[in-house]
Amino acid sequence: MNKIDFKGSVVLNPVPVVMVSCRSNEGKDNVFTVAWTGTINTKPPMLSISIRPERLSFEYIKETMEFCVNLPNINLMNATDFCGVRSGKEVDKIKEMNFTMVEGINVNVPYIDECPINIECKVKEIIPLGTHHLFLAEVVGSHINSNLIDESGKIHFEWANLINYCHGEYFPMSKEAIGKFGISVAKNKDLIKKYSKNYKKTINKKDYIVSSKNFKKEKNNENTKKNFNKDKLKKTYTKSKNR
């Protein structure tokens, strides 16, 4: 497969998009959107978020060393975007988005009740990296909508209609699993059959078919050659990345 080379740019996509709620020492609350977040440890359970120092919530979290991560669903896409493009210095985002804020149990920070999953965190370390500071935090509690948990106690995140962020756009999470951890070495025929049906259905969709044969055909198409502009592609990515 032909590759287009880019210089040092983080093209790790898609990523989860979350709304982070926080509170200042004076008791002022704010919500802002973060796409650079992830699990970093199991015992103790920890996650990280990256924040620009110029953001209002950066100061709030530095003061209290606590925050809540709120996972939005598709119904909250506009609110998620709004909390990422508007500053708490200029507008009360909680009031504007009509969020229902519930006081945390293990932290002195409220979480967004409309979000199906909420994670309470205490900051353990802040690492300056450059444009962003990395906040390493321990998860001290979580709140999950009861309708996402089945009779066996399994949490079905796919039932929550969560959203992902990919190169400046929001996408819904699929509800159909095409595999599970360990499926590549599984010997249980029923288990393999369960996932192979969805896998084959997904991989056979026209949008997912990417073969060397198809690529060569596309590459040799004169219209494709004429319209393809490597420099334009790079400029477009750089512009999106720097927003």
Side-chain angles (χ1 to χ4, degrees), residues 71-109:
L71 277 61
N73 57 23
I74 57 175
N75 297 324
L76 294 168
M77 188 275 293
N78 281 326
T80 302
D81 186 69
F82 183 86
C83 290
V85 299
R86 297 298 299 271
S87 172
K89 299 174 183 177
E90 303 168 350
V91 63
D92 184 342
K93 291 183 274 188
I94 294 173
K95 183 178 180 180
E96 286 289 323
M97 294 296 99
N98 197 29
F99 289 141
T100 303
M101 306 304 292
V102 179
E103 289 297 319
I105 296 176
N106 305 285
V107 294
N108 186 30
V109 175

Side-chain angles (χ1 to χ4, degrees), residues 10 12 19 35 50 81 85 105-106 110 113 125 160 175 185 188-189 192 209 226 232 237:
V10 182
L12 179 61
M19 289 188 283
S50 288
D81 186 69
V85 299
I105 296 176
N106 305 285
D113 195 42
E125 187 177 357
K175 290 188 176 182
V185 293
N188 186 313
K189 292 183 179 180
I192 296 172
I209 298 175
K226 188 182 294 184
K232 184 178 179 181
Y237 177 76

Side-chain angles (χ1 to χ4, degrees), residues 152-217:
S152 69
K154 179 182 177 180
I155 303 170
H156 289 268
F157 291 96
E158 72 276 15
W159 294 353
N161 293 315
L162 301 175
I163 54 178
N164 298 315
Y165 185 74
C166 185
H167 201 176
E169 296 179 299
Y170 305 98
F171 293 85
M173 176 180 169
S174 174
K175 290 188 176 182
E176 293 188 339
I178 60 171
K180 64 172 294 183
F181 179 76
I183 191 67
S184 62
V185 293
K187 295 181 180 179
N188 186 313
K189 292 183 179 180
D190 291 335
L191 182 67
I192 296 172
K193 184 178 180 180
K194 173 185 174 181
Y195 289 106
S196 62
K197 182 179 179 181
N198 284 343
Y199 177 76
K200 289 178 181 178
K201 184 171 70 174
T202 301
I203 209 68
N204 286 330
K205 287 181 180 177
K206 190 175 181 181
D207 291 346
Y208 289 92
I209 298 175
V210 181
S211 67
S212 58
K213 182 178 179 181
N214 290 336
F215 180 78
K216 288 176 182 177
K217 183 179 179 181

Side-chain angles (χ1 to χ4, degrees), residues 42-95:
T42 303
K43 293 183 180 180
M46 295 182 70
L47 57 75
S48 69
I49 59 174
S50 288
I51 313 174
R52 290 181 178 271
E54 58 266 28
R55 300 194 74 161
L56 176 65
S57 295
F58 178 89
E59 294 300 327
Y60 283 13
I61 297 175
K62 274 191 72 174
E63 288 177 2
T64 65
M65 299 294 277
E66 295 180 337
F67 62 87
C68 286
V69 171
N70 305 274
L71 277 61
N73 57 23
I74 57 175
N75 297 324
L76 294 168
M77 188 275 293
N78 281 326
T80 302
D81 186 69
F82 183 86
C83 290
V85 299
R86 297 298 299 271
S87 172
K89 299 174 183 177
E90 303 168 350
V91 63
D92 184 342
K93 291 183 274 188
I94 294 173
K95 183 178 180 180

Side-chain angles (χ1 to χ4, degrees), residues 136-161:
L136 309 181
E138 181 177 349
V139 174
V140 293
S142 300
H143 312 281
I144 300 172
N145 284 6
S146 59
N147 62 355
L148 303 181
I149 305 173
D150 66 20
E151 294 179 354
S152 69
K154 179 182 177 180
I155 303 170
H156 289 268
F157 291 96
E158 72 276 15
W159 294 353
N161 293 315

